[in-house]
Amino acid sequence: MTELRLPRHDRSTETYRLTGTPIALERRDAADFNRVAFAAAHVVADPLADNDPWLTPAIDWDATLAFRHRLWDLGLGVAEAMDTAQRGMGLGWSQAQELITRALKEAASRSDALIACGVGTDHLTGTGYSLDQIVDAYQEQLDFVQGQGGRVILMASRALAASARSPDEYLETYARVLAHANEKVVIHWLGEMFDPALEGYWGSSDHMAAMDTCIDMIAANVDKIDGIKISLLSKEKEIAMRRRLPALVRMYTGDDFNYAELIAGDSYGHSDALLGIFDAIAPAASRALASLKQGNEAEFFDTLEPTVALSRHIFKAPTRFYKTGVVFLAYLNGLQDHFTMIGGQESTRSTLHFAELFRLADKANVLADTDLATQRMKTFLSVRGVN
């Protein structure tokens, strides 16, 4: 039995014996699911680049693109250049442009690749922008993605959150931007727990009042909208909004705390998925979604429910640091050769956080090779002073 010593909160260590059964990789495609499922994919840093990590991103393009092929091989779509890729948190627009270009080229090389790309205003720095400037910034990124032949995920704008003075200014901005969309887009409402700069989005700090404005925007532009992803970490708010959406407009769950029950749905409907946690638990997500289509809801929950505790830990407050846990799990699973992140964000979580992540990943059966994961965990802990 594989075991190692892990630190505890009282500063002692315990012998932890792994009990999980790794979920085997099984090749699938989107037709094997009855839900649309995107994984928001992370980028792999280049640990040998001669750069200043806090200031200048360095990306390992081969490893980054290989990870996207792995998601496609499992039937999952790729939500590209989103916050999971550290967009606006280490990954600037110029690097995002290269990421989008490269990923779309890889997607075009195969017939089964579902991909959509983030469009925002993150190349605007500072505050004090007019609505015209914000619309122009959105349109610049929109034109770039559409010019590359990509589908669009319209992300929330920090500049708009800082500049808009009323719900009507949100409605005006989105209407003007969506008028330039060639195909239906996915709207992304990212909550302040993921990005504090988005507090009060849609013109209100009350999520239910903000939801009213967002619903009005969707209804006014329904011919331009495929769906909306909300990331508020509240199943009650997601269900309430899901029941108010116009017919044929999808709810893409962004709730990394309650995704299993939201995807399964209820008698009134279900959520599709656009989740950062699917980056980290892709084999489990793929198996669970295939089980759901086959009508085996018990197997769906048996596979996916054990991952929820892991996800809640990875996405615990400060939630914006969740990328660190996602990348750490990729390192443990041999999907990259190092635990280095752009922006130096590998430093945002504690040693105890990583120890608990390891325990929960084992219990969720998402450590692909327990011997490799254990060896890498021991190496990591030794650097952190745990012998």
Side-chain angles (χ1 to χ4, degrees):
M1 181 178 290
T2 304
E3 63 182 39
L4 75 167
R5 297 201 64 79
L6 294 176
R8 299 189 296 193
H9 284 274
D10 64 0
R11 308 183 75 87
S12 66
T13 61
E14 66 172 356
T15 298
Y16 179 78
R17 294 177 177 84
L18 283 76
T19 59
T21 302
I23 294 173
L25 290 176
E26 297 178 60
R27 185 154 190 150
R28 297 186 177 91
D29 59 43
D32 294 320
F33 308 148
N34 58 2
R35 303 288 187 268
V36 180
F38 287 95
H42 75 281
V43 294
V44 182
D46 178 358
L48 300 180
D50 185 11
N51 70 318
D52 296 304
W54 282 17
L55 305 176
T56 309
I59 298 172
D60 181 337
W61 291 111
D62 289 342
T64 293
L65 296 173
F67 186 79
R68 280 136 181 82
H69 280 285
R70 178 177 182 268
L71 294 174
W72 289 321
D73 287 345
L74 291 166
L76 300 173
V78 170
E80 189 55 274
M82 303 291 291
D83 48 304
T84 305
Q86 296 182 237
R87 184 77 177 271
M89 292 164 260
L91 186 79
W93 172 234
S94 61
Q95 293 84 28
Q97 285 177 289
E98 185 171 2
L99 175 61
I100 288 166
T101 299
R102 287 174 178 263
L104 287 173
K105 182 178 179 181
E106 294 298 312
S109 72
R110 51 192 296 165
S111 62
D112 60 346
L114 177 63
I115 185 170
C117 305
V119 162
T121 65
D122 50 312
H123 55 296
L124 298 179
T125 58
T127 58
Y129 293 97
S130 69
L131 293 187
D132 286 343
Q133 289 173 311
I134 292 168
V135 169
D136 288 345
Y138 261 131
Q139 188 171 340
E140 178 184 336
Q141 295 199 15
L142 182 76
D143 288 346
F144 176 80
V145 172
Q146 292 185 153
Q148 300 285 315
R151 289 181 58 189
V152 168
I153 301 169
L154 199 65
M155 301 190 298
S157 166
R158 290 175 178 172
L160 183 57
S163 297
R165 294 293 173 260
S166 69
D168 286 344
E169 292 193 341
Y170 282 90
L171 296 176
E172 175 190 343
T173 301
Y174 273 81
R176 292 173 62 187
V177 174
L178 288 168
H180 296 279
N182 295 336
E183 299 181 23
K184 289 186 175 185
V185 311
V186 176
I187 304 295
H188 185 191
W189 178 5
L190 187 67
E192 65 276 6
M193 63 289 296
F194 286 88
D195 186 347
L198 298 175
E199 171 75 35
Y201 211 74
W202 302 113
S204 177
S205 58
D206 180 334
H207 287 159
M208 300 310 291
M211 188 184 298
D212 290 339
T213 302
C214 187
I215 288 288
D216 288 345
M217 183 279 296
I218 293 171
N221 301 279
V222 69
D223 60 325
K224 294 285 189 176
I225 297 173
D226 166 64
I228 179 165
K229 164 187 162 72
I230 65 168
S231 301
L232 301 179
L233 301 182
S234 166
K235 65 180 180 181
E236 293 81 10
K237 291 172 185 176
E238 180 172 319
I239 291 170
M241 189 172 189
R242 188 171 75 194
R243 293 180 182 177
R244 296 178 63 188
L245 291 176
L248 304 181
V249 174
R250 297 179 183 274
M251 171 59 75
Y252 289 94
T253 185
D255 188 338
D256 299 280
F257 284 4
N258 303 290
Y259 49 90
E261 59 188 291
L262 290 165
I263 292 168
D266 55 31
S267 59
Y268 295 95
H270 66 265
S271 296
D272 293 290
L274 201 167
L275 288 162
I277 193 59
F278 275 12
D279 173 299
I281 63 163
S286 177
R287 173 185 284 184
L289 290 166
S291 298
L292 190 63
K293 181 173 181 179
Q294 293 162 8
N296 193 340
E297 190 167 292
E299 186 173 82
F300 168 83
F301 280 110
D302 286 347
T303 303
L304 211 54
E305 274 291 347
T307 71
V308 172
L310 169 66
S311 186
R312 290 179 177 177
H313 180 72
I314 288 174
F315 284 79
K316 69 185 293 186
T319 302
R320 65 187 182 275
F321 296 149
Y322 78 87
K323 279 78 70 174
T324 302
V326 167
V327 174
F328 187 64
L329 197 49
Y331 167 64
L332 292 180
N333 280 330
L335 302 172
Q336 53 190 82
D337 294 331
H338 57 86
F339 179 44
T340 303
M341 297 174 66
I342 62 173
Q345 293 227 358
E346 65 272 16
S347 67
T348 63
R349 295 295 199 184
S350 70
T351 303
L352 288 172
H353 180 89
F354 292 117
E356 184 63 11
L357 186 156
F358 185 90
R359 295 182 186 97
L360 293 170
D362 172 49
K363 293 172 183 176
N365 304 310
V366 295
L367 295 177
D369 180 330
T370 53
D371 289 337
L372 175 65
T374 300
Q375 182 270 318
R376 289 191 166 190
M377 189 68 192
K378 288 178 178 178
T379 299
F380 168 78
L381 289 172
S382 70
V383 174
R384 292 285 183 112
V386 180
N387 296 315

